[in-house]
Amino acid sequence: MMTSSSETIDASAAGTWTLGDLTVNRIGFGAMRLTQPGPAFSKGPSGDRGRSMTVLRRAIELGVNHIDTAAFYFSPLRSANELINSALAPYADDLVITTKVGPGRDPSGVWTWATPAQLRGQVEENLRQLGRDHLDVVNLRIARSHRAESVADHIGALAELREAGLIRHLGISNTTADQLAEARSIAPVVCVQNRYGIGSTPEDQALLRSCGEQGIAFVPFYAIAGAGGEAGTGGGEGEGDEVLAVARNHGVTPAQVRLAWTLHQGPHVLAIPGTGNPDHLAENIAAGAVRLTPDELALLGP
């Protein structure tokens, strides 16, 4: 159960890290779930516009200064980027907006993957939707089926856009250690955004540690949803006894335990939980103040 003080806990409680020369609070906000109340990327109904804009504005009031989004976050009636623009522009000087390129969706929702030559168009679409003249951080999102392939051409194209001033910093998402090393040989990389949470594999753990050693932010997605993925927490298996036990110890929710565990994995680990619910937003941000004991961390896993 959530404590009554949670609504006053600010995102700064989680501490800060840097994305290149940009300092952000370690707990931010992911925009994927703003556009529809059900599973992301489904054919379900669109979310309530006013409610989504309220969530965004409340996030800023609660100290969030790092928002993760993408042009392919949309439902039939809602675009995450447009909601961000409408709710938050003119943007605060300290607000960092991170977006992703690589994947795309046509109006019917069919997925496509950009060639290196098409990345400029995706960057310009994000600029247009967000109403900005540059993007703070752009992640190249790798298709699951391409995780054994070279990223040189795509990173090279984004590096050219960085040199042209359209992008400030580069990141890479859904990647491997080899692809990260290849990307860093072409241009600086400030963050890795990979699926990660309680129960992640030793390979995932190794990449997280490697990022810390290199001073690169590690930004997990689906840290709360786990096996539920796009469907959210309701789409996964039942919560484990260990998570429930730790939640009871602290008087918090299992989702908050999962977020707190993620943040405990290293000072370079950021969190970008997403929600379209103002109450859940406050709970997510309050997770940055949850301090787990060594015994609890051992119980939850490496």
Side-chain angles (χ1 to χ4, degrees):
M1 188 164 93
M2 200 49 230
T3 60
S4 59
S5 62
S6 66
E7 293 183 3
T8 64
I9 295 176
D10 188 276
S12 63
T16 62
W17 190 257
T18 56
L19 295 169
D21 60 347
L22 304 171
T23 300
V24 297
N25 289 325
R26 291 179 60 216
I27 193 154
F29 179 79
M32 185 180 72
R33 302 197 184 279
L34 286 176
T35 65
Q36 53 194 143
F41 313 127
S42 72
K43 297 186 182 297
S46 297
D48 180 86
R49 176 178 169 80
R51 181 181 172 94
S52 294
M53 292 176 67
T54 295
V55 168
L56 284 163
R57 290 168 179 155
R58 183 60 176 151
I60 300 301
E61 291 172 358
L62 290 171
V64 167
N65 59 5
H66 175 213
I67 294 177
D68 177 79
T69 187
F72 55 84
Y73 289 173
F74 65 83
S75 63
L77 299 178
R78 304 284 176 259
S79 156
N81 282 354
E82 187 276 329
L83 289 167
I84 292 167
N85 189 347
S86 297
L88 303 181
Y91 301 109
D93 290 342
D94 68 341
L95 178 61
V96 175
I97 299 178
T98 298
T99 190
K100 292 172 284 296
V101 295
R105 296 167 68 211
D106 69 17
S108 68
V110 174
W111 290 94
T112 60
W113 292 87
T115 66
Q118 293 171 327
L119 290 175
R120 183 182 184 108
Q122 291 191 338
V123 166
E124 291 178 344
E125 181 65 7
N126 277 281
L127 289 168
R128 183 190 68 78
Q129 292 177 357
L130 291 166
R132 307 200 74 176
D133 61 5
H134 75 279
L135 300 174
D136 296 323
V137 183
V138 173
N139 284 307
L140 174 66
R141 180 63 174 264
I142 309 300
R144 292 174 192 155
S145 58
H146 293 176
R147 297 185 80 198
E149 299 181 7
S150 170
V151 297
D153 291 344
H154 285 79
I155 290 291
L158 292 177
E160 291 178 4
L161 297 177
R162 177 175 173 268
E163 290 296 321
L166 298 183
I167 299 171
R168 190 161 181 174
H169 297 295
L170 297 179
I172 190 167
S173 176
N174 205 35
T175 192
T176 65
D178 288 344
Q179 288 175 329
L180 174 60
E182 182 182 39
R184 293 187 73 226
S185 73
I186 297 167
V189 173
V190 301
C191 58
V192 165
Q193 190 181 99
N194 272 25
R195 187 170 188 148
Y196 182 84
I198 292 174
S200 290
T201 67
E203 180 184 13
D204 295 331
Q205 296 282 350
L207 182 57
L208 181 148
R209 290 193 299 270
S210 176
C211 285
E213 292 164 0
Q214 298 173 79
I216 298 170
F218 189 89
V219 191
F221 58 86
Y222 300 153
I224 295 177
E230 290 90 347
T233 52
E237 299 176 356
E239 193 60 81
D241 291 342
E242 297 85 356
V243 173
L244 292 174
V246 174
R248 284 192 297 269
N249 288 345
H250 289 268
V252 299
T253 67
Q256 288 174 300
V257 170
R258 287 181 172 274
L259 283 175
W261 179 89
T262 299
L263 291 169
H264 277 70
Q265 300 310 300
H268 66 297
V269 180
L270 310 184
I272 48 170
T275 181
N277 182 313
D279 294 331
H280 291 168
L281 169 72
E283 290 183 0
N284 289 342
I285 291 172
V290 176
R291 301 291 183 257
L292 302 178
T293 68
D295 286 345
E296 289 171 334
L297 290 171
L299 177 67
L300 294 170

